[in-house]
């Protein structure tokens, strides 16, 4: 039985092209400039993505949303769009959806603009690779990603199709309550609206069929449903940013909110001092001079001085982080 759900958007089947060749067109200076720009994007991705891991509980909300509007309203979607814009991949947006399949578009794709002399080929390999890396490493969802349409290949806009591997998606999607439902049991202390919502999601993902376990559901429960998986619990990467926005809205003015914001950033980024298990006396020669570590108050004062010269909120947050 095919696990492809009905009603899929009319995806194109062409494969994404390889990295544009440096000799494909344009001058040597253009090729060198393109290489430098792409290197900067890749370096930014390598810096930002490892700090962007998302807990399963938030990925579940994303997976259970089954309309473009509801997906766009999830915290994970907003975080992902900001992240891809920040690393230099443009204003990405979701334009197509079917269970296990997501289509993203990038109007005015900045990657295409790097190669003004290239035509008749797909050039957005950096975006394709970034999508694959984000879904596989940060969301723990195995997937395939291909560029289905590219401005440099006569496309109206650059589009990318992400297709999830079903077993991987089920592993993240299903919690203990979902597995109880698939086993024919009602989870304790679950209100009827939530139960209906979960049954709907399980039906959309072809695990239930008319309220009963489907062939796909039986196969999953038999071979993978009993596997013990320890879910890691941690805060999503956007939590601090949301708390900072809440502080600003609460205080009314940025100046009055700054002290609390500085303390919040420091509490997240400055690790608690380690207490040794037994007292020890370090041997320091009389001539050596070790400056004491700055206190939290001193750091906050320094950050406040930096704020006077900060041109934007993003610049200010960057300066706040540098103090740690």
């Amino acid at each position: 039985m095919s696990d492809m759900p009905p009603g899929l958007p009319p995806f194109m089947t062409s494969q994404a092209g390889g990295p544009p060749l440096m000799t494909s067109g344009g001058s040597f200076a253009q090729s060198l400039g393109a290489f430098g720009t792409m290197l900067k994007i890749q370096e930014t991705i390598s810096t930002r993505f490892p700090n962007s891991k998302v807990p399963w509980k938030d990925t579940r909300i994303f997976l259970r949303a089954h309309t473009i509007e509801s997906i766009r309203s999830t915290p994970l979607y907003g975080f992902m769009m900001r992240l891809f814009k920040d690393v230099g991949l443009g204003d990405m947006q979701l334009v197509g959806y079917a269970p296990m399949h997501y289509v993203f578009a990038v109007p005015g794709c900045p990657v295409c603009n790097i190669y003004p002399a290239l035509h008749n080929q797909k050039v957005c390999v950096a975006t394709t690779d970034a999508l694959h890396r984000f879904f596989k490493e940060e969301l723990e969802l195995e997937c395939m990603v291909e560029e289905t349409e590219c401005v440099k290949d006569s496309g109206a806009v650059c589009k990318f199709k992400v297709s999830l591997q079903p077993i991987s998606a089920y592993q993240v999607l299903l919690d203990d309550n979902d597995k109880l439902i698939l086993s024919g049991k009602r989870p304790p202390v679950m209100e009827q609206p939530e139960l209906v919502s979960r049954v709907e999601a399980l039906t959309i993902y072809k695990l239930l069929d008319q309220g009963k376990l489907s062939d796909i559901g039986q196969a999953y429960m038999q071979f993978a449903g009993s596997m013990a998986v320890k879910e890691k619990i941690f805060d999503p990467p956007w939590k601090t940013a949301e708390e900072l926005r809440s502080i600003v809205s609460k205080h009314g003015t940025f100046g009055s909110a700054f002290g609390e914001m500085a303390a919040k950033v420091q509490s997240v980024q400055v690790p608690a001092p380690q207490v040794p298990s037994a007292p020890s006396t370090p041997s320091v020669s009389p001539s050596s001079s070790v400056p004491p570590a700055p206190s939290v108050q001193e750091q906050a004062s320094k950050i406040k001085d930096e704020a006077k010269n900060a041109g934007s909120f993003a610049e200010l947050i960057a300066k706040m982080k540098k103090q740690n």
Side-chain angles (χ1 to χ4, degrees):
M1 177 180 290
S2 172
D3 61 354
M4 293 290 288
L8 291 176
F11 295 137
M12 296 176 63
T13 58
S14 58
Q15 297 295 319
L21 299 175
M22 299 299 289
T23 58
S24 295
S27 66
F28 176 76
Q30 286 178 327
S31 297
L32 193 60
F35 177 79
T37 302
M38 287 307 306
L39 183 62
K40 183 177 180 180
I41 290 176
Q42 293 292 353
E43 288 177 345
T44 306
I45 290 173
S46 296
T47 300
R48 293 289 303 275
F49 274 35
N51 298 320
S52 303
K53 195 167 185 63
V54 177
W56 284 7
K57 65 182 180 63
D58 291 284
T59 305
R60 283 194 194 102
I61 297 173
F62 177 86
L63 292 174
R64 287 172 178 166
H66 49 82
T67 65
I68 292 178
E69 293 73 19
S70 61
I71 294 169
R72 287 178 174 177
S73 67
T74 63
L76 171 54
Y77 176 83
F79 171 74
M80 179 183 172
M81 298 303 101
R82 292 190 298 270
L83 177 64
F84 274 66
K85 182 176 182 179
D86 289 347
V87 300
L89 296 175
D91 290 305
M92 183 178 289
Q93 55 190 260
L94 181 70
V95 296
Y97 166 76
M100 303 283 188
H101 301 272
Y102 300 85
V103 181
F104 297 95
V106 184
C109 178
V111 177
C112 284
N113 294 334
I114 297 174
Y115 306 102
L118 296 185
H119 300 284
N120 302 319
Q121 58 183 298
K122 297 180 176 71
V123 302
C124 305
V125 181
T127 306
T128 302
D129 290 345
L131 279 166
H132 184 267
R133 178 172 177 177
F134 182 81
F135 273 83
K136 182 178 181 179
E137 298 181 9
E138 318 317 324
L139 304 185
E140 298 186 59
L141 295 170
E142 295 288 341
C143 65
M144 292 181 60
V145 182
E146 63 174 314
E147 185 178 13
T148 59
E149 190 174 335
C150 185
V151 171
K152 288 293 182 178
D153 195 32
S154 303
V157 68
C158 296
K159 289 185 179 180
F160 307 86
K161 180 180 72 172
V162 179
S163 301
L164 303 184
Q165 198 271 348
I167 295 297
S168 173
Y170 292 152
Q171 184 180 54
V172 176
L173 172 70
L174 304 178
D175 61 13
D176 291 340
N177 285 328
D178 292 312
K179 292 177 182 178
L180 282 176
I181 294 173
L182 292 176
S183 300
K185 303 175 183 177
R186 176 166 183 153
V189 197
M190 178 175 287
E191 298 294 335
Q192 186 69 14
E194 181 181 355
L195 178 62
V196 171
S197 177
R198 285 176 179 263
V199 169
E200 181 181 17
L202 295 173
T203 302
I204 289 172
Y205 276 97
K206 305 299 180 181
L207 293 164
L208 289 178
D209 183 11
Q210 298 182 350
K212 298 180 180 179
L213 202 61
S214 66
D215 291 343
I216 295 174
Q218 288 179 349
Y220 179 80
M221 292 299 289
Q222 180 178 354
F223 296 107
S226 60
M227 293 176 59
V229 178
K230 182 66 175 179
E231 182 177 342
K232 298 177 182 177
I233 307 299
F234 56 94
D235 290 332
W238 56 82
K239 181 180 180 182
T240 299
E242 289 181 345
E243 291 175 339
L244 292 176
R245 285 194 292 268
S246 175
I247 291 171
V248 172
S249 62
K250 179 178 67 176
H251 284 266
T253 65
F254 184 78
S256 63
F258 184 78
E260 187 175 348
M261 292 172 66
K264 169 57 65 178
V265 172
Q266 290 166 348
S267 68
V268 171
Q269 300 211 356
V270 178
Q274 298 296 318
V275 180
S277 57
S280 61
T281 304
S283 58
V284 180
S285 62
S287 60
S288 66
S289 176
V290 180
S295 65
V296 173
Q297 291 80 4
E298 290 172 337
Q299 293 181 20
S301 177
K302 187 174 181 180
I303 295 172
K304 189 173 182 179
D305 292 336
E306 291 280 3
K308 297 176 182 179
N309 299 318
S312 67
F313 179 78
E315 181 184 352
L316 177 59
I317 295 301
K319 288 184 177 182
M320 291 166 68
K321 291 182 178 180
K322 286 181 180 179
Q323 307 308 316
N324 302 293

